[in-house]
Amino acid sequence: IQDPVWQVPFKMRAHGQFAIRVDNSRMLLAKIVGTTKSFTQKVLTNHFRGLLMSRIQDYISNLMVQEQRSFLEINSYLTSISDSIRDKIAEVFLNYGLVVEEFFVESINIEEDEVYQNIRKSMGKRAERKMEGYAYGEERSFDVAEKQAANEGTSGNVAGVGIGMGVG
């Protein structure tokens, strides 16, 4: 997913759980059990995994893009994300005679690659500057001023050369 704030693509994972209840066993039998050799919890989970993954990825991507939510803040919306996704998938499960009793996203994680580490480091520096009361541009100005102050002999030599030329 491309982060809308940082404009950087990240690999993202969502972890969670859900519970379903059979509401119409005849519909379930016709749609799922009739197409498989055996019917177990694993078969049911595998059948719905793709359906769930596409809906979840679609919802989280849209949330990030439309509401400009960064990966840094997405976990603060887990309850509303869970409720919205549950409502979206409930309709799909009804077509199979199932009712979604519970659905919740426990966490959304980003693969912590080099880009992620650099952004986190940058955010830390920005927080330090904010606490100290200055911005990045001001910090760079301080750096330039420090370097100029460290090279005070250079400006003295230039002035000396100018004076020497004037005297000559």
Side-chain angles (χ1 to χ4, degrees):
I1 295 176
Q2 180 155 334
D3 187 277
V5 175
W6 297 98
Q7 298 300 313
V8 177
F10 290 101
K11 291 182 181 176
M12 186 178 279
R13 283 193 189 107
H15 300 276
Q17 296 183 26
F18 69 98
I20 55 176
R21 172 179 53 82
V22 177
D23 187 53
N24 184 335
S25 56
R26 176 170 272 144
M27 189 181 291
L28 179 65
L29 288 169
K31 289 214 174 191
I32 294 180
V33 177
T35 61
T36 63
K37 292 182 180 181
S38 65
F39 183 69
T40 63
Q41 182 180 355
K42 185 175 182 175
V43 169
L44 185 65
T45 302
N46 288 337
H47 183 78
F48 288 107
R49 178 169 278 138
L51 177 136
L52 289 172
M53 294 302 173
S54 65
R55 301 268 188 320
I56 292 167
Q57 182 178 352
D58 183 55
Y59 180 79
I60 293 172
S61 297
N62 284 330
L63 173 73
M64 289 180 74
V65 170
Q66 292 171 358
E67 297 186 21
Q68 296 294 296
R69 304 286 184 217
S70 171
F71 74 90
L72 295 170
E73 60 184 319
I74 197 75
N75 276 306
S76 63
Y77 297 94
L78 292 179
T79 301
S80 63
I81 289 171
S82 297
D83 293 344
S84 296
I85 293 173
R86 183 190 61 237
D87 294 345
K88 289 182 180 295
I89 65 169
E91 297 172 22
V92 176
F93 277 96
L94 274 176
N95 292 331
Y96 290 88
L98 301 168
V99 173
V100 177
E101 294 288 328
E102 293 181 37
F103 182 92
F104 53 95
V105 178
E106 295 171 340
S107 66
I108 299 174
N109 303 317
I110 300 294
E111 184 178 297
E112 296 188 18
D113 60 3
E114 188 177 338
V115 172
Y116 174 85
Q117 295 298 333
N118 288 339
I119 289 173
R120 296 293 287 198
K121 190 176 180 181
S122 174
M123 294 293 292
K125 286 180 183 177
R126 186 172 89 177
E128 284 176 28
R129 285 186 207 106
K130 191 172 183 177
M131 286 187 288
E132 293 172 358
Y134 61 91
Y136 178 76
E138 292 171 313
E139 181 180 356
R140 298 305 298 157
S141 296
F142 298 152
D143 292 344
V144 169
E146 276 182 10
K147 286 181 181 176
Q148 250 183 339
N151 292 329
E152 57 187 85
T154 306
S155 59
N157 289 342
V158 171
V161 169
I163 291 171
M165 288 173 64
V167 171

